[in-house]
């Protein structure tokens, strides 16, 4: 398997296969993600896209902007940051304690734990606080880590994005 796929993709598949072998069939949809559908959002006006230079929040809240930013991050091999941010936003909207615990575990295993398939770059202190928060999952369990990743994207990725061809196509 490792010879056929790039190492991190192979690792992700091995992890998912291992998880699949340990879980009942009812959880297969949680383990194998469906392909992401392209956004049905309209292309923003150049004026709207220009606002994204100043506000990562506006960019991430716009479905077309988020999809464009994720494509850009994918080209830089750092898409996990946007994926983590989106997963945290979805997690915060979860009302059921059972679903919240399931999503918390999935986010932890996919993005936070050491050697996670899509491990985000957070400092040891933030990781420790997040792990402590997950003892009793709440809507704020990932807040510190999400803020760190947001700041990283705002400081590093956003400036490169607004200089990129992806962005320049939007503001034409």
């Amino acid at each position: 398997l490792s010879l056929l796929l790039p190492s991190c993709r192979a690792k992700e598949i091995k992890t998912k296969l291992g998880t699949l072998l340990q879980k009942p069939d009812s959880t297969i949809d949680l383990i194998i993600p469906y392909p992401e559908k392209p956004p049905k959002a309209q292309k923003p006006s150049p004026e709207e896209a220009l606002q994204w230079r100043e506000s990562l929040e506006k960019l991430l809240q716009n479905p077309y902007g988020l999809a464009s930013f994720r494509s850009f991050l994918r080209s830089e091999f750092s898409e996990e940051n946007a994926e983590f941010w989106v997963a945290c936003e979805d997690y915060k909207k979860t009302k059921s304690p059972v679903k919240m615990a399931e999503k918390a575990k999935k986010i932890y295993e996919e993005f936070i734990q050491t050697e996670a398939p899509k491990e985000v770059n957070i400092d040891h202190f933030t990781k420790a606080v997040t792990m402590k928060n997950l003892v009793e999952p709440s809507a704020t369990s990932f807040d510190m880590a999400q803020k760190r990743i947001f700041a990283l994207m705002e400081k590093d990725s956003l400036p490169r994005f607004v200089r990129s061809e992806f962005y320049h196509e939007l503001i034409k």
Side-chain angles (χ1 to χ4, degrees), residues 65-123:
L66 175 60
S68 298
F69 190 57
R70 286 177 75 167
S71 292
F72 170 75
L73 291 176
R74 195 174 304 121
S75 76
E76 291 201 328
F77 305 101
S78 61
E79 185 184 14
E80 71 278 355
N81 293 330
E83 288 182 18
F84 174 69
W85 187 87
V86 168
C88 289
E89 288 298 293
D90 175 63
Y91 172 81
K92 288 190 274 190
K93 294 173 189 162
T94 306
K95 301 290 182 228
S96 157
V98 172
K99 287 259 188 246
M100 185 173 276
E102 288 172 4
K103 286 182 179 184
K105 182 178 188 291
K106 188 172 191 270
I107 291 170
Y108 173 77
E109 289 174 350
E110 193 169 355
F111 299 103
I112 304 292
Q113 77 180 8
T114 304
E115 300 294 320
K118 298 177 182 180
E119 186 176 1
V120 290
N121 186 10
I122 55 174
D123 59 272

Side-chain angles (χ1 to χ4, degrees), residues 43-82:
K43 185 176 179 182
S45 67
E47 295 76 26
E48 189 178 357
L50 279 168
Q51 294 178 1
W52 299 342
R53 288 177 184 229
E54 310 304 320
S55 174
L56 178 60
E57 195 165 331
K58 283 184 182 176
L59 168 66
L60 295 174
Q61 288 173 351
N62 180 293
Y64 199 98
L66 175 60
S68 298
F69 190 57
R70 286 177 75 167
S71 292
F72 170 75
L73 291 176
R74 195 174 304 121
S75 76
E76 291 201 328
F77 305 101
S78 61
E79 185 184 14
E80 71 278 355
N81 293 330

Side-chain angles (χ1 to χ4, degrees), residues 14-32:
K14 285 179 187 173
T15 301
K16 288 180 180 178
L17 284 174
T19 307
L20 182 60
L21 294 173
Q22 297 170 4
K23 303 223 180 208
D25 292 342
S26 63
T27 62
I28 193 163
D29 289 342
L30 296 173
I31 299 165
I32 302 172

